[in-house]
Amino acid sequence: MTLLRVESLQKSFGSLNVTRDVTLDVGAGEKHVIIGPNGAGKTSLINQIGGQMTPDGGRVMIDGSDVTRLAPEQRARLGLARTFQKNTLFQRLSVFENVRLGVQARFGNSFDLAQRAAARTDVNARARDVLDLLRLTALAERRVASISYGDQRQLEIAVALAGDPRILLLDEPTSGLSPVETRQLIEIIRALPSHLGILMIEHDMEVVFSLADRITVLYYGEVLASDKPDVVAANERVRDVYLGASF
Amino acid sequence: MDLFVSQLLNGLVYGLLLFLLASGLSLIFGLMGVVNLAHGSFFMLGAFIGLSVVSYTGSFWWALVLAPIPVAIAAAAIEILLLRHLYKRDKVDMVLLTFGLSFVFTDLVEWGWGKDTFSLSEPASLEESLEFLGGYFPQYRLAIVVFGLAVALLLWLLIEKTRIGAMVRAGIDDTRTAMGIGLNVPLLLTTTFASGAALAGMAGVVAGPILGVYSGVDVEVLIPAFIVIVIGGMGSLKGAFVGSLLIGIADTFGKAYMPEASMFLIYAAMIVILLARPHGLFGQAAS
Amino acid sequence: MGEFVFFLLALAWPFLAGSYGTGLITEALIFAIAAMSLDLLMGYSGLVSFGHAAFFGVGAYALALSGMKLGLNPWLGILVAVMTSALAALIIGYFCVRVSGVAFIMLTLAFAQLLYSAAVKWRGITGGSDGIGGFDRPQIAGLSLNDPIYMYFACLLGFVLSLWLLRRIINSQFGHALVGLRENETRMRALGFSTDRLKLCAFVLSGAFAGFAGALYAIYNSFISPDALSFAQSGMFLLMVVLGGVGSLLGPAIGAAIFLLMKQFVSSHTEHWLAIVGIIFVCCVMFFRSGVYGFLKQWLERGART
Ligand SMILES: Nc1ncnc2c1ncn2[C@@H]1O[C@H](COP(=O)(O)OP(=O)(O)O)[C@@H](O)[C@H]1O
Ligand SMILES: [Mg+2]
């Protein structure tokens, strides 16, 4: 079943076409990985799916309905969550509070002025569960600014997962991580709920091929190939322009 | 018909006076990210210093030339001693700082010159009126139009055609890149801040015969100047020019034809434009 | 414990301090409410309003005019004042929350200035720059707020009530959402928060509290002039918050008190009150960014460790 569909998406900055007629699908339970050299337009694509950037043409659809004109918060309410390439966290709040806000967005009531937030045991309990899932429990009370970069990368995912999304967009979750941290994070991604549709940008080919159900190769804003890993690996053009050295 | 033409002239005069203020404000914001709430104070300080120069020398022209100098020095000192240390902090800190400074300047001016409203007399050589298009036009106002347009042209040439201008433009696009390509950014910032202040001080002298010289004139001109750059787009010289004329003319006609509603007019204009184009007419949607 | 001592002192104050000291603290309590209301926007939501005097002034004028023009009971007048300021905040906020950065600063400043010029120019209603005075003070069961001691207790009650309500708001889910907004708006939107609506709500609440303070101020002085709406007044509120400590609620209240005490002291020695305000402002921003509250907190924590 297709959860997320991107159809003939177009975007340009002046003469620079960052997204050229991009079409792709993400189904429930699928791990779809986008690869492509720096500047290929991967982040721009994620931004257009998330609603942070408006496309010039084409459509973004969630569950078959058009969300191209919806604001990021409206898309989030339809079950779309994302992380950012550059950490986008609540720096001065604790790790727990970061996740709790993510939970509150979906399960709490942000216009409740009377009840103490601490009294919403359901919200707090879910926040603690998410911290457990991401193995961040030990850091719960630490301020974000005081934890390591690797832990912050993990927290990015925790915050996105907090609202129990159906579609998760991950923009280079392993960037800047050590090999050990990368391996840990991959384990975590592998252990995510199986119904989740994941669209993920990744550079490390080992990671890509160990995780992906499907791979899309972006090159200068264009889809070069979009298929099962072995098919993509065998694709002549992909080998020429991108994978070359890795195989 | 007369009334229309003379109002149009008054609108142009007011608009170009606003431009002298707004252009500096806009460039300072574009380059340094400083929302300078003390910019009206530079205007006011220039006007008062001009007043004193006129009373010593008896010459408006000396005032026009000399008054901007101490204003520029004060501004340079502020940039070097205070602002410079805040560039890396939250932008709000710089706004608060200049806000605080505007209080200091108000007090300084009231201490030096008192709380009265003074009028700076226009230069004797421009006291007459010229007759054309079936109306009488005060020479001084015509001179302001010429002066304002000349400053606009010079600024445009400076920004677009000279090396310094290229540096300013590079800095507005991206301060870090400008540093990367070896520009002396600190000097550039000090110079821009001081020049903007000098221009504001000069505007204070030029406006003296028209708006009067009093403590409180700073806020009186600062708000419309800010409205101008919000409308025109922060950091854009063209925006400052178009916005100034728009607000100058709209405000003048508003006062002449619908005095009751006039004060709402420029605010309404600002709100409408902001809602339609949140970054102003010529602003970029940059961070 | 500290709050209990404060409470006892507050109750005994009018009998210890005499009429001059009582008046001073009454005023401090009023401004503390206004400063705390600004802190809700500035410190908790990250919305630095440069025109907060607008809501304070609207509250003050609403109280005065509801009594003088509509003949309303002044108790009802307070309610009207709070609602009018909330309405003003709703309208002004509707525009302001759409923009951010400089445009936000400018819009808040411009709206306040607009109300200021309206108050100056509509002489028929507002009395122009002369202001209006001589309206009734509320009274209940024969206790009139004309008596400075009752006025003091009314303001103390108003302050404690405001502090309690604002604390509740800040500790609620709504309050947490505001803090999220302050820290990272992009993330908040990506999580599904309606950030514009949150901001507008914060505006209205903040405006209502500022209007409440404005109403008390009008009652206290039995007079109101456009100064209450001025650029300088907005600046004073900002200074109280910065001086006391942004985002600490109690800090800005302390800031308001220090500000007024300093004003009394300085004004009796020199005419350069405004310059002093400016210099304190500059010093706070440059060297003392966490304010008195932050300073005290650090100092107490260091004391606790050693
Ligand atoms: N807001 C923007 N304005 C102008 N150019 C942009 C903007 N965002 C991205 N770009 C440009 O688009 C290209 C693709 O960027 P991006 O999507 O971040 O690539 P990737 O994530 O694949 O490395 C880059 O050349 C970048 O400079
Ligand atoms: Mg990228």
Side-chain angles (χ1 to χ4, degrees):
Chain A
M1 192 191 71
T2 308
L3 274 178
L4 172 73
R5 181 169 170 77
V6 174
E7 229 172 61
S8 320
L9 214 62
Q10 302 273 1
K11 177 77 186 177
S12 52
F13 294 113
S15 59
L16 175 72
N17 293 312
V18 283
T19 308
R20 308 183 197 210
D21 198 22
V22 170
T23 298
L24 57 82
D25 285 323
V26 181
E30 184 185 15
K31 294 188 179 58
H32 190 145
V33 180
I34 301 178
I35 60 174
N38 269 329
K42 305 181 296 296
T43 297
S44 302
L45 179 61
I46 295 280
N47 283 342
Q48 291 169 75
I49 299 172
Q52 283 79 21
M53 187 185 276
T54 319
D56 299 337
R59 298 198 293 175
V60 177
M61 318 227 280
I62 294 177
D63 288 332
S65 58
D66 192 338
V67 300
T68 321
R69 299 283 142 215
L70 296 190
E73 56 270 29
Q74 292 169 304
R75 298 182 199 205
R77 277 180 232 134
L78 294 173
L80 182 77
R82 69 165 294 178
T83 68
F84 293 82
Q85 182 171 354
K86 192 166 165 271
N87 285 339
T88 303
L89 297 164
F90 308 111
Q91 286 290 328
R92 288 191 286 177
L93 303 188
S94 73
V95 168
F96 176 75
E97 284 169 309
N98 267 263
V99 176
R100 218 195 54 87
L101 271 173
V103 179
Q104 179 180 320
R106 170 82 193 283
F107 300 101
N109 174 5
S110 295
F111 290 93
D112 180 347
L113 296 163
Q115 195 185 12
R116 283 159 43 82
R120 279 294 296 254
T121 41
D122 55 334
V123 172
N124 297 335
R126 170 153 179 93
R128 255 176 252 116
D129 289 346
V130 174
L131 285 178
D132 266 347
L133 185 68
L134 274 290
R135 301 174 197 170
L136 286 166
T137 307
L139 299 174
E141 299 311 320
R142 296 270 298 274
R143 266 162 56 114
V144 171
S146 76
I147 66 174
S148 74
Y149 177 79
D151 291 330
Q152 291 191 15
R153 276 325 267 163
Q154 230 149 294
L155 183 56
E156 271 283 318
I157 301 179
V159 173
L161 279 176
D164 191 22
R166 293 178 305 145
I167 310 162
L168 180 62
L169 313 174
L170 300 171
D171 194 346
E172 300 200 23
T174 64
S175 77
L177 297 189
S178 71
V180 177
E181 287 172 325
T182 302
R183 229 169 297 130
Q184 257 181 17
L185 195 68
I186 296 311
E187 282 318 305
I188 287 168
I189 291 175
R190 212 176 254 130
L192 290 181
S194 61
H195 65 272
L196 204 58
I198 298 180
L199 182 66
M200 162 176 172
I201 300 174
E202 180 55 59
H203 277 305
D204 185 330
M205 283 308 141
E206 209 175 309
V207 173
V208 172
F209 282 94
S210 73
L211 270 181
D213 298 317
R214 198 204 292 247
I215 297 176
T216 291
V217 185
L218 269 189
Y219 189 64
Y220 288 114
E222 217 169 352
V223 175
L224 220 55
S226 182
D227 218 317
K228 299 234 152 48
D230 47 339
V231 183
V232 170
N235 183 307
E236 281 299 318
R237 282 189 69 201
V238 174
R239 294 182 80 99
D240 280 354
V241 303
Y242 187 60
L243 294 171
S246 322
F247 291 93
Chain B
M1 189 61 205
D2 289 6
L3 182 63
F4 180 83
V5 176
S6 74
Q7 289 304 338
L8 190 63
L9 175 72
N10 286 342
L12 266 178
V13 168
Y14 184 45
L16 287 164
L17 286 175
L18 282 180
F19 173 73
L20 294 181
L21 208 60
S23 53
L25 205 51
S26 187
L27 288 179
I28 287 171
F29 176 78
L31 190 65
M32 317 167 67
V34 183
V35 177
N36 182 17
L37 291 179
H39 209 66
S41 311
F42 294 146
F43 177 96
M44 178 171 74
L45 196 61
F48 274 101
I49 293 173
L51 195 70
S52 293
V53 174
V54 169
S55 76
Y56 278 114
T57 65
S59 160
F60 179 87
W61 305 111
W62 276 118
L64 190 64
V65 175
L66 293 180
I69 297 173
V71 178
I73 293 173
I78 288 169
E79 199 278 335
I80 292 168
L81 296 176
L82 303 172
L83 271 179
R84 177 168 295 184
H85 306 282
L86 300 181
Y87 292 140
K88 291 211 181 77
R89 289 219 225 142
D90 192 333
K91 296 266 183 257
V92 169
D93 285 12
M94 294 193 278
V95 191
L96 291 172
L97 180 89
T98 58
F99 200 37
L101 288 172
S102 75
F103 287 104
V104 177
F105 278 115
T106 300
D107 194 274
L108 203 66
V109 158
E110 287 179 0
W111 182 46
W113 289 274
K115 290 187 180 178
D116 298 332
T117 298
F118 300 88
S119 78
L120 193 62
S121 44
E122 53 207 26
S125 50
L126 294 173
E127 270 174 349
E128 317 269 293
S129 288
L130 287 184
E131 188 185 353
F132 64 89
L133 289 175
Y136 287 94
F137 298 98
Q139 276 181 344
Y140 185 68
R141 287 180 186 249
L142 292 171
I144 291 181
V145 173
V146 175
F147 179 75
L149 291 174
V151 170
L153 183 68
L154 278 176
L155 270 179
W156 180 77
L157 286 174
L158 184 75
I159 301 288
E160 297 295 327
K161 304 286 174 204
T162 66
R163 210 181 107 69
I164 295 180
M167 284 160 61
V168 171
R169 274 181 289 134
I172 286 180
D173 286 343
D174 186 354
T175 313
R176 219 171 304 141
T177 315
M179 270 184 204
I181 55 180
L183 300 180
N184 187 342
V185 172
L187 183 65
L188 184 67
L189 298 186
T190 312
T191 312
T192 307
F193 195 69
S195 315
L199 202 56
M202 194 180 263
V205 179
V206 173
I210 291 175
L211 300 179
V213 180
Y214 55 97
S215 123
V217 75
D218 53 344
V219 185
E220 211 68 38
V221 293
L222 181 70
I223 306 279
F226 262 117
I227 292 178
V228 161
I229 56 173
V230 168
I231 286 180
M234 304 291 294
S236 157
L237 192 63
K238 190 158 91 179
F241 187 73
V242 174
S244 298
L245 293 187
L246 215 65
I247 289 299
I249 291 171
D251 189 55
T252 309
F253 274 92
K255 282 192 175 120
Y257 293 103
M258 34 182 176
E260 285 305 308
S262 71
M263 66 184 184
F264 295 109
L265 205 66
I266 60 172
Y267 294 100
M270 172 174 78
I271 291 163
V272 168
I273 291 181
L274 263 188
L275 291 183
R277 294 191 55 115
H279 301 281
L281 295 175
F282 300 96
Q284 271 128 30
S287 51
Chain C
M1 174 64 195
E3 301 203 350
F4 184 68
V5 173
F6 167 81
F7 196 65
L8 281 186
L9 185 68
L11 287 183
W13 182 257
F15 310 103
L16 299 174
S19 69
Y20 177 76
T22 304
L24 197 58
I25 299 300
T26 305
E27 210 175 330
L29 288 168
I30 295 171
F31 279 105
I33 298 171
M36 291 191 301
S37 76
L38 177 57
D39 198 31
L40 180 67
L41 279 186
M42 183 173 175
Y44 290 92
S45 326
L47 300 167
V48 185
S49 164
F50 277 74
H52 207 59
F55 311 126
F56 182 78
V58 164
Y61 273 102
L63 180 110
L65 294 174
S66 68
M68 299 190 69
K69 305 276 171 185
L70 305 177
L72 278 187
N73 173 311
W75 289 109
L76 222 55
I78 296 181
L79 194 66
V80 169
V82 170
M83 286 178 25
T84 315
S85 317
L87 182 67
L90 181 69
I91 296 168
I92 294 176
Y94 175 82
F95 295 107
C96 295
V97 300
R98 262 142 231 277
V99 296
S100 55
V102 196
F104 180 84
I105 291 173
M106 270 324 302
L107 272 184
T108 50
L109 220 167
F111 273 111
Q113 202 59 19
L114 179 65
L115 288 172
Y116 174 78
S117 27
V120 171
K121 285 179 187 161
W122 288 345
R123 308 194 128 268
I125 302 171
T126 64
S129 46
D130 298 334
I132 27 180
F135 34 84
D136 287 345
R137 290 198 172 107
Q139 57 180 51
I140 189 165
L143 306 178
S144 161
L145 296 191
N146 282 324
D147 182 333
I149 294 189
Y150 292 129
M151 184 70 211
Y152 168 83
F153 280 114
C155 291
L156 181 63
L157 186 66
F159 170 76
V160 172
L161 193 69
S162 302
L163 179 62
W164 182 74
L165 281 172
L166 283 165
R167 276 217 178 130
R168 270 207 87 119
I169 292 171
I170 284 161
N171 288 326
S172 73
Q173 292 178 78
F174 173 73
H176 284 244
L178 291 186
V179 171
L181 212 58
R182 174 191 80 194
E183 293 295 308
N184 199 326
E185 187 170 348
T186 309
R187 173 59 93 174
M188 287 297 277
R189 296 190 67 186
L191 285 176
F193 287 96
S194 316
T195 52
D196 284 1
R197 267 177 64 201
L198 284 169
K199 286 183 194 170
L200 190 56
C201 262
F203 240 88
V204 171
L205 287 167
S206 170
F209 281 101
F212 177 52
L216 291 178
Y217 184 70
I219 294 171
Y220 173 71
N221 286 318
S222 190
F223 170 76
I224 183 69
S225 80
D227 285 346
L229 286 158
S230 66
F231 186 62
Q233 186 63 64
S234 292
M236 306 291 169
F237 289 144
L238 279 171
L239 179 57
M240 290 171 194
V241 174
V242 173
L243 180 64
V246 181
S248 59
L249 209 53
L250 211 48
I254 298 169
I258 294 177
F259 178 88
L260 283 176
L261 293 175
M262 216 155 46
K263 181 174 176 180
Q264 287 303 317
F265 179 76
V266 174
S267 314
S268 61
H269 288 84
T270 155
E271 293 188 347
H272 301 295
W273 165 235
L274 214 51
I276 307 275
V277 168
I279 290 166
I280 296 169
F281 221 129
V282 169
C283 291
C284 280
V285 173
M286 298 293 300
F287 314 112
F288 201 54
R289 199 57 182 84
S290 53
V292 172
Y293 187 86
F295 178 79
L296 284 178
K297 208 170 131 201
Q298 267 175 9
W299 186 66
L300 287 176
E301 276 166 8
R302 203 175 312 145
R305 244 182 284 129
T306 53

